[in-house]
Amino acid sequence: MASIPSHQLKETKYNPLTGGKNILEDFKAQVNRGNFQKKEIVLYGSIFHEALVPLKQRLQGLCDPGEVKFREHEIAFYLSNDFIDTKTPFVFRFRRKFPNYEGNLMHLKYIGTPELNDKCPCIVRNRIDTVTQSTDQMEFIRGLGLRTDYEFIVEGYAYTKGEIVITVYKLSKIEKMGYYDDKNVKPFSNSYLVEISLQIPYLQDYSAPAKAVRDFADQLYPIVEMRKVNYWSTSQHKEKKRDKN
């Protein structure tokens, strides 16, 4: 099966680590255009392993030709409260290829708190992406004042429909932080997460793009039901419960 053209990957901004040799130059051009800050429109779903083949067949019929298979290592860091006066620390996510960390490149993203809009059919949140390159990535991260929160391995498939990106992936936990051999990497479950996302300019109205994402997601039903998951309320509830204890 033919792979997704590199220019299409750049348009969707999915996984800049596979976007070509001029990753850093492309990002500098984005900064100059003021395009590094985006609004991200997202829906989530999940399937059991038995539904993977039917879902992939449906996506191959609906999406642009080709798929990208990926396996990556993601680490979530937070900015210590020593630096900021807030109960909810800023969380940054670093992702790199696994197990081969080619070119010492790491994708850094910051995802903001979703907008509170009950009428919108999708999650809408601010997002900032960049690419870092360092021979000692962990030392670079510590130099930013970040502390490790958790890490996991993500493995799956990516598709595009124009500028909409669809990823189907499973998560594996790392039994002992910092040790990445096979005996320390264990699957969370037998299910796959499904994510449909679209990035638009920060100042653009998101009503029409959100409807486009919702309409595409509905075409995957009943194989998978894509939902606007209210994950931020769950995390806030846990924080309040922790404060009471």
Side-chain angles (χ1 to χ4, degrees):
M1 180 177 291
S3 61
I4 297 176
S6 60
H7 74 276
Q8 196 173 82
L9 287 173
K10 285 187 177 182
E11 288 175 358
T12 60
K13 298 299 182 294
Y14 170 73
N15 189 11
L17 299 187
T18 62
K21 295 182 179 179
N22 297 321
I23 296 172
L24 298 178
E25 289 79 359
D26 180 66
F27 177 71
K28 290 177 182 177
Q30 291 184 51
V31 172
N32 292 334
R33 296 193 303 268
N35 290 341
F36 60 94
Q37 185 172 0
K38 301 283 188 178
K39 269 192 168 57
E40 184 180 37
I41 301 167
V42 192
L43 288 173
Y44 290 104
S46 64
I47 57 171
F48 288 114
H49 179 75
E50 293 76 13
L52 177 62
V53 172
L55 178 59
K56 290 181 65 177
Q57 291 174 342
R58 177 70 63 87
L59 289 171
Q60 288 165 0
L62 293 173
C63 295
D64 303 323
E67 69 177 21
V68 173
K69 187 175 182 179
F70 61 92
R71 191 181 190 207
E72 297 169 338
H73 174 212
E74 181 164 312
I75 314 175
F77 297 89
Y78 65 93
L79 191 59
S80 169
N81 287 337
D82 296 338
F83 296 89
I84 53 176
D85 183 20
T86 177
K87 290 185 178 180
T88 305
F90 290 98
V91 177
F92 301 88
R93 301 177 183 275
F94 284 79
R95 183 176 285 200
R96 56 189 177 182
K97 286 186 177 181
F98 182 85
N100 299 317
Y101 307 141
E102 298 178 5
N104 299 315
L105 292 173
M106 184 177 279
H107 175 201
L108 165 63
K109 59 183 176 182
Y110 165 74
I111 297 177
T113 303
E115 297 193 10
L116 301 178
N117 185 349
D118 294 335
K119 295 182 179 180
C120 181
C122 303
I123 300 167
V124 180
R125 58 197 184 189
N126 296 337
R127 173 168 171 162
I128 299 176
D129 290 86
T130 186
V131 176
T132 66
Q133 185 173 31
S134 174
T135 55
D136 191 341
Q137 294 172 339
M138 297 308 296
E139 182 63 29
F140 167 76
I141 291 169
R142 284 192 291 268
L144 296 176
L146 301 176
R147 296 183 180 180
T148 305
D149 192 2
Y150 57 88
E151 60 181 344
F152 56 86
I153 305 298
V154 57
E155 182 175 5
Y157 308 87
Y159 304 84
T160 62
K161 176 65 173 179
E163 294 188 349
I164 298 176
V165 179
I166 306 94
T167 51
V168 183
Y169 56 91
K170 59 181 177 181
L171 299 176
S172 296
K173 60 182 178 180
I174 298 171
E175 296 285 338
K176 187 175 181 181
M177 187 170 289
Y179 292 84
Y180 307 118
D181 51 280
D182 291 340
K183 67 179 181 180
N184 282 308
V185 179
K186 306 293 183 182
F188 271 110
S189 68
N190 193 35
S191 62
Y192 284 77
L193 291 176
V194 184
E195 180 179 330
I196 300 177
S197 65
L198 171 64
Q199 293 188 41
I200 62 174
Y202 178 69
L203 297 178
Q204 179 179 330
D205 179 74
Y206 56 79
S207 300
K211 184 179 183 302
V213 171
R214 180 72 264 177
D215 289 345
F216 178 85
D218 289 342
Q219 297 181 71
L220 303 181
Y221 186 83
I223 301 174
V224 58
E225 182 179 1
M226 303 301 297
R227 297 182 178 182
K228 178 182 179 180
V229 181
N230 191 5
Y231 63 85
W232 57 94
S233 294
T234 303
S235 61
Q236 290 174 357
H237 175 72
K238 288 182 179 179
E239 287 180 5
K240 291 180 180 178
K241 187 175 181 181
R242 191 183 303 118
D243 291 340
K244 290 181 180 179
N245 295 335

